[in-house]
Amino acid sequence: MSYTLDVYYHRDDERDSDEPTVVRTSAELDELLDYIAGHEQPNPPVLHARQRPTFGPLNQPDHQLKIDLDGAAQVGAISFMGDDPDRPGDEHAGAWVTTTDQPVRDAPVLYLDKHVPVVFPADAVLPLDVVRRAVHEFRKTGERPRCVRWQESDVF
């Protein structure tokens, strides 16, 4: 099964809107990731898998995947908030950011939130092709991607 993604991001040619861009295919996701990597975002884009559960009177998603990409440097970082797939049935929800033992040298600062501002840790920055692979895995599984390593975070 593949999930339909709702992606909240800024597009230069559209008015700011609370309506997400809907992504249904790998090709649509690649096109969107290329756009985001090439266009400065006022805040990191947020992705939700439509078929996952929601909660509360406003039917909020039970998860979110957030990305910050820098196409010029060919890097990005990911945060995930939701269930821990390594603890199925545990109902353990948390927040994580990517991590690596081989930090990208001279990587630009990437943000979890540009308004506050809160930056990703330096060891959360990954090559863009790795981030792309992880976001594609999220579209396929609706879960925190397993193709990258994670560290717990107190920010989401």
Side-chain angles (χ1 to χ4, degrees):
M1 171 182 183
S2 290
Y3 288 79
T4 299
L5 301 180
D6 288 334
V7 184
Y8 295 87
Y9 72 108
H10 175 76
R11 201 164 168 99
D12 293 336
D13 58 356
E14 296 177 7
R15 292 184 191 146
D16 284 347
S17 171
D18 291 335
E19 294 300 313
T21 294
V22 178
V23 174
R24 292 182 176 88
T25 68
S26 293
E28 290 174 349
L29 183 55
D30 278 331
E31 183 179 322
L32 181 74
L33 292 172
D34 289 343
Y35 182 88
I36 292 168
H39 294 81
E40 176 101 16
Q41 296 292 302
N43 222 16
V46 175
L47 296 81
H48 300 127
R50 274 194 181 179
Q51 294 88 340
R52 284 195 47 148
T54 59
F55 68 93
L58 298 177
N59 290 319
Q60 295 295 311
D62 71 344
H63 68 287
Q64 77 172 15
L65 186 118
K66 191 185 294 187
I67 58 174
D68 194 11
L69 309 177
D70 186 315
Q74 290 292 291
V75 296
I78 310 170
S79 72
F80 182 82
M81 182 198 62
D83 295 335
D84 184 345
D86 296 326
R87 297 170 65 175
D90 190 357
E91 293 189 26
H92 174 75
W96 297 268
V97 296
T98 47
T99 188
T100 181
D101 291 333
Q102 300 174 348
V104 176
R105 298 182 121 218
D106 301 320
V109 173
L110 297 176
Y111 291 88
L112 277 156
D113 188 324
K114 290 183 179 180
H115 295 299
V116 174
V118 177
V119 299
F120 275 98
D123 67 349
V125 178
L126 305 172
L128 191 55
D129 63 323
V130 174
V131 172
R132 182 182 298 271
R133 193 168 49 246
V135 176
H136 275 276
E137 181 181 332
F138 174 68
R139 189 185 75 78
K140 288 179 186 169
T141 67
E143 294 182 349
R144 187 182 74 195
R146 294 176 182 267
C147 68
V148 293
R149 290 184 35 230
W150 298 92
Q151 59 186 313
E152 287 193 37
S153 175
D154 55 359
V155 178
F156 54 89

